[in-house]
Amino acid sequence: MFGRNQELYAVVKQIAQITGHDIQHQLESIFNRKKEEDSSDSIHLDALRIFLVELHGMLEISYTKKEHLIAKGKYADCYKYSVSQFNIDFSKYCKDKGIHTIGTSKVTGHLKELGFVRGENYNVNLKLNGVQTKCFVFSKEVKKKLGL
């Protein structure tokens, strides 16, 4: 336990002592569950990072490379990928690796940690296969955070 969780634990424990309530067992149970959730988040973040690195590598060597490569503008020479296809592919990747899937909001939170910004390089309308599609972009910032 660290950071805000540790502070919260200390404050709640102090309040319980002042009010004369013995809630040590309940506190330990709650914070142990929180530790498990944090560990799960770490597993998903690591899986997402690995998946994105593999996806970027696949886009670099793919026969559809030209369709996924942005030719001009702010993100020239960066790859784009359909958000809906990503959701399908990442869910399948997790299942194949034996990792339980997580909801879109959790995935979006992890994407933010990896440098994706909604409306800038994530969930932006770009042409893909001749159709306007919600995409994310492997921007320079994202590639740096992924170690690419």
Side-chain angles (χ1 to χ4, degrees), residues 99-143:
I99 302 168
H100 70 85
T101 57
I102 54 175
T104 306
S105 63
K106 280 271 193 193
V107 172
T108 301
H110 291 322
L111 287 170
K112 284 180 187 175
E113 289 182 58
L114 296 173
F116 289 98
V117 178
R118 183 178 290 278
E120 190 173 316
N121 61 358
Y122 173 69
N123 215 26
V124 290
N125 283 316
L126 297 171
K127 234 175 195 171
L128 188 62
N129 299 318
V131 178
Q132 282 291 93
T133 306
K134 294 281 187 187
C135 292
F136 65 84
V137 177
F138 285 97
S139 64
K140 289 175 179 66
E141 299 81 16
V142 169
K143 290 194 289 189

Side-chain angles (χ1 to χ4, degrees), residues 27-28 31 35 54 67 69-71 114 122 126:
L27 277 178
E28 287 174 5
F31 283 95
K35 277 194 263 186
E54 291 176 3
E67 185 60 39
L69 190 62
I70 299 172
L114 296 173
Y122 173 69
L126 297 171

Side-chain angles (χ1 to χ4, degrees), residues 62-90:
S62 173
Y63 67 92
T64 61
K65 175 180 180 174
K66 191 168 71 173
E67 185 60 39
H68 290 275
L69 190 62
I70 299 172
K72 50 188 166 173
K74 181 179 179 179
Y75 296 116
D77 299 322
C78 293
Y79 292 103
K80 59 189 171 187
Y81 198 75
S82 163
V83 170
S84 60
Q85 188 61 49
F86 161 80
N87 289 333
I88 293 166
D89 293 345
F90 183 61

Side-chain angles (χ1 to χ4, degrees), residues 36-52:
E36 289 172 14
E37 289 173 7
D38 289 348
S39 173
S40 175
D41 282 352
S42 174
I43 290 168
H44 288 102
L45 180 60
D46 290 344
L48 180 59
R49 181 178 284 112
I50 292 166
F51 174 77
L52 289 169

